[in-house]
């Protein structure tokens, strides 16, 4: 059990089938003694099926599970229970059994049947309780523990089986941060110090990266990645397997990868009811950032109009994959950028004017908005500090005043989302062509009556 | 049981627990001492004691009946009553009560359901119907002395198997099991009524089965039932560890090495056999199997290695107490013993049901 060269758990071509559903398609993998293998994958990817098949609880249609060269299927139940211990995701709320008795349950495959509890088993149970921090509570009922403590005692029951292989199904589910780390820290010790082969199904990839020597990713019953956490975990994998956009960073203290998920794909979002629109946002100086985030989160196709390179709005746009028309900082607006921005203004279904500071460089942008505002629904986001906005000696303020009657004035991005979600967006003052086109037939109908 | 006791009801505290245990034990001993003195035929206590001291042998002189002037003949009749009716009835109550208690504790463990009980699950009624078939087809009852348990067993086997299947398929929901038992009981009761239409004479004999009693007890019955009790009770008491592990769920139990299928089948089969045998000699007696394990858990906690055998002891005492009450409550009538057990058991059952609802998070 402590020999790192010994063959550990070997799974070959494992296929698990429930009636018509095939949960695992020919999975092959090996776990060496002393290794912590994290099993990752979205819900329904087959993690639990894999664990249950190895324990002998799921129907194995094809394939073999071996330990130390012996097929588990050929072992008796008790021999199997001395080889593999399993901690399920959930256990029924049982009786209020004293902790020592509960841990002693794990001695079942080692002790003779129909015999009273042996002293040696009691010693093992007490040692485990001490290691897990319950030495003074051996006679306390398990129901009196907190969820985190109970999980630790369940680990004790599993360890009492003294098996070379441990299978833990979501051991940290429902645990708070402290108990998660405590439990996984113990699990890692069990592998690295005691030389057990550990397979843990984990949902939290950051915990997997931190505590596992190896990560195996399942998707729809197949292995799609297998290797070191630092090589396996990547934004591409998260996008392909979980459908999540994420940033991959490196923990400067441990050098381990960690992921910051930030976007879920449109089809998983709570509501896809309002049709997504092409929205062009005119911003700068960070004024457009909350608007960009809100619009992209709702799934709108967003573009950003002329901002300076390295402007914080430009950086937000890059992070959100929003196309940007950018200009060199502190330079006058070039013809090329202005033309590009005009194109986007013309193509947009909705224009949003963020409360950006108006300077000589972007005054022309505002003039271009004025040109199209009558045709395209335009939302003017009010500045929290209107007086500090204009750096053009009144020119900017006059353009804004001209824009007001052509647009709908709103307070913030939340109001914008509500307005866009409404069945017929209106620009407030002047309805534009696109909208009229939609409304007119109804109006005619009304008039003809 | 998790559901019934909602993860709680830790056994009473140490000293209270010992007191309760001592009280139960004393009560049991007192019951056994008092029971031979009780019966529908009034016999002076001193005479009863004298007859007991005389032993079961034939009485030749009135000297065996001290404390009162009676003829040798009267004394002989009294001795006959004590040794051939009262004591066999007492022993029958003890054996049947023990079987029902053991079976109730076992079924509660197998189904992880504190409402399981041979009567509620329809096992007893099924067994009674099986036994009634004999009467209906006019089989000589004397001849059927050994056919009776066999028919009762076959009758009890049907609900036993149905419950077993429902318990596994329907994920052992307390309501489902109990309602299945109630439905089966109703089916058997109506079958029973139908049979009786064909043989109205059997009515009286059969009505005895429906509420139970020890009046027909004989030493042979006692010997048979104690044989069953020792055999089944021995095996059931040995499987306490497996029952404990089953409380963690069948999957966990199997992963630790328990042959779950074999164990649960064995347990359900043995309780069915034992219940059927008890019903064959005593008729249907409800609630002993439900109440006894709960009393035991209060005293010793949830460990099935203790709960199963002790539920047998408590069940024996409970049924004997009920029998004594049945004989003395409305003299000179002997009530069917199922009446006092139901008087205690049914409200207790309701209490368990209502408490389950009241506890948040007490999943079914």
């Amino acid at each position: 059990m402590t020999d790192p060269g010994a063959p550990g758990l070997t799974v070959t071509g494992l296929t698990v089938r429930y009636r018509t559903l095939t949960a695992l398609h020919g999975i092959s993998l090996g776990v060496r003694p002393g290794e912590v293998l994290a099993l990752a994958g979205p819900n329904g990817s087959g993690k639990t099926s894999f664990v249950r098949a190895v324990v002998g609880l799921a129907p194995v249609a094809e394939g073999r599970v071996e330990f130390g060269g012996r097929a588990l299927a050929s072992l008796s139940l008790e021999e199997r229970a001395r080889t593999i211990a399993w901690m399920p995701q959930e256990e029924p709320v049982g009786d209020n059994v004293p902790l020592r008795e509960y841990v002693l349950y794990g001695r079942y495959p080692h002790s003779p049947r129909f015999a009273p509890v042996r002293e040696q088993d009691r010693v093992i149970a007490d040692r485990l309780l001490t290691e897990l921090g319950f030495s003074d509570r051996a006679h306390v009922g398990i129901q009196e523990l907190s969820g985190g403590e109970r999980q630790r005692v369940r680990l004790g029951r599993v360890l009492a089986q003294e098996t070379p292989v441990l299978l833990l199904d979501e051991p940290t589910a429902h645990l708070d941060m402290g108990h998660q780390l405590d439990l996984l820290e113990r699990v890692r010790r069990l592998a690295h110090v005691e030389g057990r082969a550990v397979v843990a199904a984990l949902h939290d990839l950051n915990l997997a990266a931190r505590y596992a020597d190896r990560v195996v990713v399942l998707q729809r019953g197949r292995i799609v990645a297998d290797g070191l956490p630092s090589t396996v975990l990547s934004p591409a994998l998260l996008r392909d397997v979980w459908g999540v956009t994420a940033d991959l960073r490196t923990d400067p203290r441990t050098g381990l990868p960690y992921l910051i998920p930030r976007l879920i794909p449109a089809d998983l979002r709570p509501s896809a009811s309002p049709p997504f629109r092409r929205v062009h946002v005119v911003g700068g100086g960070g004024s457009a950032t909350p608007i960009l985030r809100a619009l992209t989160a709702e799934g709108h196709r967003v573009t950003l109009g002329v901002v300076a390179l390295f402007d914080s709005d430009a950086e937000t746009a890059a992070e959100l994959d929003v196309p940007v028309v950018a200009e060199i900082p502190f330079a006058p607006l070039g013809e090329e950028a202005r033309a590009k921005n005009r194109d986007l203004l013309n193509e947009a279904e909705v224009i949003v004017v963020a409360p950006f500071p108006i300077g000589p460089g972007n005054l022309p942008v505002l003039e271009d908005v004025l040109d199209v505002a009558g045709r395209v629904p335009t939302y003017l986001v009010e500045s929290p500090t209107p007086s500090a906005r204009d750096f053009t000696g009144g020119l900017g303020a006059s353009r804004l005043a001209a824009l007001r009657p052509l647009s709908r004035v709103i307070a913030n991005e939340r109001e914008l989302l509500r307005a866009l979600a409404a069945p017929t967006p209106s620009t407030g003052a002047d309805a534009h062509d696109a909208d009229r086109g939609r409304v007119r037939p109804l109006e005619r109908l009304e008039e003809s009556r | 049981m998790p559901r019934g006791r909602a993860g709680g009801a830790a056994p009473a505290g140490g000293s209270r627990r010992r007191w309760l245990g001592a009280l139960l034990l004393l009560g049991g001993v007192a019951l056994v001492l008092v029971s031979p003195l009780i019966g529908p035929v009034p016999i002076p206590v001193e005479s009863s004691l004298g007859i007991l001291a005389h032993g079961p042998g034939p009485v030749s002189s009135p000297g065996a009946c001290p404390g009162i002037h009676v003829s040798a003949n009267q004394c002989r009749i009294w001795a006959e009553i004590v040794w051939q009716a009262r004591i066999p009835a007492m022993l029958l109550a003890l054996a049947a009560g023990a079987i029902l208690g053991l079976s109730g504790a076992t079924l509660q463990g197998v189904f992880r359901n504190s409402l399981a009980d041979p009567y509620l699950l329809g096992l007893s009624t099924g067994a009674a119907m099986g036994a009634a078939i004999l009467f209906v087809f006019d089989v000589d009852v004397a001849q059927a002395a050994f056919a009776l348990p066999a028919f009762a067993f076959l009758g009890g086997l049907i609900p036993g198997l149905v419950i077993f299947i429902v318990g596994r398929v329907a994920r052992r929901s307390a309501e489902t099991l109990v309602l299945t038992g109630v439905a089966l009981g109703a089916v058997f009761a109506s079958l029973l009524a139908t049979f009786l239409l064909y043989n109205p004479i059997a009515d009286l004999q059969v009505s005895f089965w429906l509420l139970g009693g020890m009046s027909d007890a004989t030493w042979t019955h006692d010997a048979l039932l104690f044989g069953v009790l020792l055999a089944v009770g021995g095996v059931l008491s040995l499987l306490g560890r497996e029952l404990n592990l089953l409380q963690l769920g069948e999957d966990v139990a199997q992963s630790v090495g328990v042959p779950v299928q074999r164990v649960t089948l064995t347990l359900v089969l043995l309780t069915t056999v034992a219940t059927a045998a008890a019903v064959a000699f005593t008729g249907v007696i409800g609630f002993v199997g439900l109440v006894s394990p709960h009393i035991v858990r209060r005293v010793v906690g949830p460990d099935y290695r203790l709960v199963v055998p002790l539920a047998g002891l408590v069940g024996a005492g409970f049924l004997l107490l009920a029998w004594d009450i049945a004989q003395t409550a409305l003299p000179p009538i002997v009530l069917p013993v199922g009446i006092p057990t139901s008087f205690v058991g049914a409200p207790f059952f309701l209490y368990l049901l209502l408490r389950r609802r009241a506890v948040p998070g007490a999943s079914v």
Side-chain angles (χ1 to χ4, degrees):
Chain A
M1 166 162 140
T2 45
D3 175 12
L9 183 75
T10 317
V11 176
T12 321
L14 184 67
T15 297
V16 170
R17 211 170 280 137
Y18 306 98
R19 294 188 193 191
T20 54
L21 176 89
T22 305
L24 287 180
H25 302 267
I27 298 285
S28 297
L29 62 85
V31 193
R32 285 185 304 279
E35 184 177 43
V36 179
L37 185 146
L39 212 53
N43 289 330
S45 58
K47 301 188 296 292
T48 295
S49 287
F50 176 83
V51 169
R52 289 179 61 90
V54 173
V55 187
L57 295 167
V60 174
E62 283 160 48
R64 280 166 72 80
V65 182
E66 290 172 17
F67 179 78
R70 290 181 71 189
L72 291 186
S74 69
L75 300 181
S76 74
L77 276 178
E78 289 192 349
E79 284 173 312
R80 210 171 167 135
R82 289 194 293 263
T83 308
I84 289 185
W86 170 56
M87 186 153 102
Q89 237 178 85
E90 287 189 349
E91 223 169 74
V93 182
D95 296 307
N96 197 12
V97 179
L99 301 189
R100 188 209 248 175
E101 295 299 317
Y102 183 85
V103 172
L104 272 171
Y105 287 166
R107 296 302 298 160
Y108 184 85
H110 291 277
S111 45
R113 292 186 84 175
F114 312 129
V117 179
R118 300 177 303 171
E119 192 49 37
Q120 62 206 84
D121 293 327
R122 219 169 253 139
V123 168
I124 289 168
D126 285 342
R127 195 198 70 222
L128 284 167
L129 282 174
T130 305
E131 281 172 16
L132 294 166
F134 295 103
S135 51
D136 53 339
R137 286 191 276 176
H139 300 287
V140 168
I142 190 163
Q143 303 295 341
E144 277 137 59
L145 301 183
S146 73
E149 291 175 320
R150 206 174 304 155
Q151 191 74 337
R152 216 177 333 144
V153 174
R154 289 174 66 200
L155 182 67
R157 196 257 298 154
V158 167
L159 293 180
Q161 283 177 247
E162 295 193 312
T163 55
V165 182
L166 295 176
L167 298 178
L168 314 173
D169 198 350
E170 294 291 345
T172 54
H174 313 306
L175 296 189
D176 64 44
M177 270 186 289
H179 281 112
Q180 286 187 350
L181 299 183
D182 173 80
L183 195 89
L184 290 176
E185 205 66 69
R186 288 173 192 281
V187 167
R188 181 161 64 180
R189 255 198 92 249
L190 291 168
H192 293 178
V193 180
E194 298 184 15
R196 304 188 205 229
V198 178
V199 177
L202 290 175
H203 262 307
D204 188 325
L205 293 176
N206 288 325
L207 287 178
R210 188 156 162 194
Y211 288 101
D213 304 305
R214 208 171 123 204
V215 176
V216 168
V217 180
L218 292 175
Q219 185 183 25
R220 285 185 225 101
R222 291 193 170 82
I223 293 179
V224 290
D226 180 350
L228 294 172
S230 53
T231 55
V232 165
L233 298 180
S234 68
L237 180 86
L238 258 80
R239 193 185 56 235
D240 297 345
V241 176
W242 281 268
V244 168
T245 315
D247 290 332
L248 185 69
R249 306 270 164 87
T250 303
D251 182 347
R253 297 180 57 181
T254 57
L256 291 167
Y258 71 93
L259 292 150
I260 305 171
R262 55 180 166 77
L263 206 63
I264 48 172
D267 58 337
L268 280 180
R269 279 201 198 96
S271 147
S273 53
F276 304 135
R277 298 205 176 79
R278 299 170 63 95
V279 183
H280 184 66
V281 180
V282 182
S287 63
T289 293
I291 298 167
L292 294 175
R293 288 200 185 280
L295 288 171
T296 50
E298 274 299 292
H300 294 290
R301 280 164 204 83
V302 185
T303 52
L304 178 64
V306 194
V307 294
L309 281 171
F310 312 121
D311 185 299
S312 66
D313 277 346
E315 289 191 350
T316 304
E319 182 198 319
L320 298 172
D321 292 327
V322 167
V324 191
V325 182
E327 187 52 273
I328 297 160
F330 307 111
L333 182 60
E335 263 321 300
E336 198 187 335
R338 186 170 183 181
K340 258 201 222 163
N341 194 50
R342 287 181 87 102
D343 290 346
L344 289 174
L345 282 169
N346 281 314
E347 287 163 17
E349 294 169 81
V350 175
I351 293 167
V352 178
V353 181
F356 58 90
I358 307 164
N362 55 16
L363 190 62
V365 177
L366 212 49
E367 281 162 358
D368 291 339
V369 173
L370 265 171
D371 286 346
V372 291
R375 279 182 288 115
V376 184
T378 302
Y379 293 86
L380 185 59
V381 182
E382 203 126 54
S383 166
T385 50
S387 56
R389 209 181 150 182
D390 184 10
F391 300 97
T392 56
L395 280 174
S398 75
R399 299 293 182 281
L400 281 175
L403 191 56
R404 239 163 228 282
L406 295 174
S407 56
R408 181 165 162 187
V409 180
I410 52 172
N412 52 36
E413 69 280 2
R414 292 186 295 281
E415 207 175 303
L416 173 67
L417 290 187
R418 281 197 293 276
L420 290 178
T424 317
S426 76
T427 52
D430 192 13
H432 42 82
D433 289 344
D435 259 15
R436 265 188 211 132
R438 251 174 268 152
V439 194
R440 240 173 225 155
L442 264 177
E443 288 172 351
R444 275 202 209 109
L445 209 68
E446 297 272 322
E447 285 161 11
S448 64
R449 268 186 198 157
Chain B
M1 291 308 299
R3 288 148 196 92
R5 304 188 305 120
S15 65
R16 225 185 93 200
R17 199 164 151 172
R18 272 192 291 278
W19 275 111
L20 210 59
L23 203 72
L24 284 174
L25 202 69
L26 271 177
V29 172
L31 270 174
V32 172
L33 292 178
V34 166
S35 294
L37 313 178
I38 292 172
V41 178
I43 302 173
V45 173
E46 270 183 296
S47 300
S48 298
L49 289 172
I51 290 163
L52 284 175
H54 177 269
V59 173
S60 49
S61 78
C65 300
I68 195 168
H69 253 312
V70 286
S71 65
N73 202 33
Q74 183 65 61
C75 190
R76 199 165 55 241
I77 291 170
W78 282 355
E80 187 87 351
I81 288 173
V82 169
W83 282 106
Q84 300 307 324
R86 288 185 180 180
I87 290 180
M90 176 183 89
L91 292 176
L92 197 65
L94 288 173
I99 284 175
L100 293 174
L102 282 166
S103 301
T106 304
L107 290 173
Q108 291 179 9
V110 168
F111 292 117
R112 287 194 274 128
N113 185 326
S114 59
L115 299 181
D117 157 87
Y119 173 65
L120 282 171
L121 294 183
L123 297 186
S124 304
T125 319
M129 187 209 64
I133 291 176
L134 277 182
F135 292 109
V136 171
F137 293 104
D138 211 17
V139 178
D140 189 330
V141 181
Q143 242 186 350
F146 290 94
L148 215 55
F151 267 71
F153 170 64
L154 291 176
L157 207 57
I158 303 166
L161 290 178
V162 173
I163 292 295
F164 183 68
I165 292 163
V166 169
R168 313 195 105 241
V169 175
R171 317 270 314 156
R172 280 167 222 85
S173 132
E175 276 78 8
T176 311
L177 281 184
V178 172
L179 292 179
T180 306
V182 170
L184 286 171
V187 169
F188 292 128
S190 62
L191 279 176
L192 213 56
T194 312
F195 291 155
L196 293 181
L197 286 179
Y198 286 92
N199 188 355
I201 303 153
D203 199 350
L204 248 177
Q205 291 160 306
V206 168
S207 70
F208 158 79
W209 293 90
L210 294 180
L211 281 166
M214 315 300 154
S215 307
D216 292 350
T218 68
W219 284 96
T220 320
H221 290 173
D222 289 345
L224 270 172
L225 207 55
F226 267 99
V228 172
L229 171 64
L230 289 180
V232 171
V235 178
L236 292 184
S237 298
L238 282 176
L239 289 169
R241 240 178 125 198
E242 282 74 7
L243 274 175
N244 280 340
L245 277 162
L246 279 177
Q247 306 315 303
L248 306 184
E250 293 184 359
D251 290 345
V252 171
Q254 186 170 325
S255 81
V256 178
V258 178
V260 171
Q261 290 283 339
R262 208 164 63 218
V263 167
T264 49
L265 256 174
T266 306
L267 290 173
V268 171
L269 209 67
L270 285 178
T271 49
T272 303
V273 172
T275 305
V279 171
F281 296 128
T282 67
V284 179
I285 299 165
F287 298 105
V288 178
L290 176 77
V291 174
S292 309
H294 284 276
I295 294 172
V296 172
R297 283 199 200 92
R298 285 259 149 196
V299 181
V300 301
D303 188 343
Y304 277 96
R305 286 171 302 181
L306 294 173
V307 169
V308 171
L310 291 181
L313 275 180
V314 170
F318 181 34
L319 188 54
L320 184 55
L321 177 66
W323 176 235
D324 287 348
I325 291 171
Q327 292 182 102
T328 51
L330 295 172
I333 300 167
V334 177
L335 293 174
V337 75
I339 290 176
T341 63
S342 300
F343 254 98
V344 178
F348 185 76
F349 174 66
L350 266 179
Y351 160 73
L352 286 179
L353 263 181
L354 294 176
R355 200 179 54 165
R356 282 151 39 87
R357 290 286 161 77
V359 177
S363 60
V364 173

